[in-house]
Amino acid sequence: MRDEKKRACKVCGAALPGPARGRPPVYCSRSCQARAYRRRRQPLPEPGTPPVSAPTDARARQRRRIAEAVWRIAAGQGLDAASMRRIAAEAGVSLRVVQYHFDSKHALLVDALRLLHEENERLARARIPYDMTDPRALLRAVLDEFLPLDEQRAFALRVFTAYYARSLTDPELAAVFLAAEQPLEGLVAAIIGAGQAAGSTAPGIDRAHEADLLVSGAVGLGLDVVHERRSLAGVRKVLEYHLARIFPAGATVSPETAEAAGHGHGHGPPQTGQRPGTGP
């Protein structure tokens, strides 16, 4: 029993095999070895010192720095070029630091994607004025988030495209990248529904079908701009055509109707969701 305890990882406590020769191992993996090294480098707190959030913030900043390196590699060379060593070099940190924060390359890719979605949603919320009293203008602002209107959104489009290509052959990544629900389509349908409730949309349209067409079409058009197959002005003209078809009169919605429509569909401020080409 005593020998078994001695053959446990000093970091996670996992059982260790007996040594074939030489000194017995003390860590079960390089990840645990990196964690132990990091702990030895950190000064011990004074007795009685309450825990502070600074280490957590520092850890979050380091993880963000590594994630940003993944974004740059994905945008410029694709995810196939994003090896752990290449990511560490791009982030300006050692490989051990990357392994300390992420147990595997797959975990790193997933976390980097999650962070990018969070960043896109934060910036989209700041850019889009949520106003259901003018559904056409709101819908135009939402669709603009699919277009490379600035360097930031063009960069994100490239990153999402790299992830999308990888997700075609990586089921685990696809599960993270392609959400089962469709929040973007639902949001667009809710905006169209607000116009329908006020009578400002064309008669006989199906808001769910229109939402599917607008979201998928805007994504594809945005990628065409990135590939320089279409001009940004031409793409916006196409989207304006479809907006005019859905809202032919351009009428506004009363505040009472907008509030009822918004509550009825359960939507708050716009969310970018998990879709290629969404957000900045």
Side-chain angles (χ1 to χ4, degrees):
M1 180 65 70
R2 184 175 302 173
D3 291 340
E4 290 296 326
K5 290 183 178 180
K6 288 182 179 179
R7 281 186 265 131
C9 177
K10 290 187 176 182
V11 174
C12 68
L16 296 173
R21 61 179 181 177
R23 296 194 308 175
V26 293
Y27 306 110
C28 65
S29 65
R30 290 186 177 181
S31 178
C32 283
Q33 184 178 13
R35 288 191 178 98
Y37 174 78
R38 181 67 175 267
R39 290 174 183 174
R40 290 197 299 269
R41 297 271 317 238
Q42 293 176 343
L44 295 175
E46 294 292 331
T49 302
V52 295
S53 60
T56 301
D57 294 340
R59 177 182 173 85
R61 287 194 298 270
Q62 190 77 287
R63 290 173 69 90
R64 167 69 182 234
R65 180 179 181 180
I66 296 170
E68 289 177 347
V70 175
W71 302 347
R72 291 192 294 272
I73 295 172
Q77 304 170 46
L79 284 180
D80 287 341
S83 67
M84 294 290 270
R85 290 188 180 277
R86 178 73 181 84
I87 293 167
E90 181 68 28
V93 299
S94 68
L95 179 60
R96 284 188 175 185
V97 170
V98 176
Q99 291 171 334
Y100 169 77
H101 287 286
F102 301 95
D103 292 332
S104 66
K105 176 182 174 181
H106 193 271
L108 170 53
L109 295 181
V110 169
D111 201 58
L113 177 61
R114 179 185 60 80
L115 288 174
L116 184 58
H117 278 308
E118 292 176 357
E119 178 75 356
N120 287 348
E121 182 170 326
R122 180 185 67 81
L123 293 173
R125 284 173 177 266
R127 280 192 292 256
I128 300 176
Y130 186 71
D131 181 9
M132 272 292 193
T133 63
D134 190 352
R136 177 171 175 167
L138 175 58
L139 184 52
R140 183 189 300 110
V142 171
L143 295 177
D144 277 347
E145 291 301 313
F146 297 95
L147 306 180
L149 298 181
D150 50 40
E151 289 297 324
Q152 193 170 38
R153 277 177 274 200
F155 173 79
L157 270 169
R158 291 182 178 275
V159 178
F160 278 123
T161 301
Y163 268 99
Y164 183 78
R166 181 65 170 263
S167 71
L168 295 176
T169 56
D170 187 336
E172 292 184 37
L173 189 59
V176 177
F177 184 66
L178 301 175
E181 66 278 4
Q182 296 177 314
L184 284 165
E185 288 84 348
L187 173 61
V188 171
I191 297 172
I192 297 174
Q196 285 180 313
S200 62
T201 60
I205 65 172
D206 185 302
R207 62 185 179 186
H209 292 336
E210 294 291 350
D212 287 342
L213 179 63
L214 284 174
V215 172
S216 297
V219 169
L221 291 171
L223 293 176
D224 277 353
V225 176
V226 171
H227 283 290
E228 299 183 350
R229 183 170 178 264
R230 300 175 187 267
S231 68
L232 184 58
V235 164
R236 299 192 83 173
K237 186 176 181 180
V238 171
L239 293 177
E240 282 294 334
Y241 168 84
H242 287 285
L243 287 173
R245 180 177 55 81
I246 296 171
F247 297 96
T252 59
V253 185
S254 67
E256 294 78 11
T257 303
E259 183 178 2
H263 289 167
H265 293 90
H267 285 283
Q271 299 182 16
T272 56
Q274 295 187 343
R275 187 68 181 262
T278 59

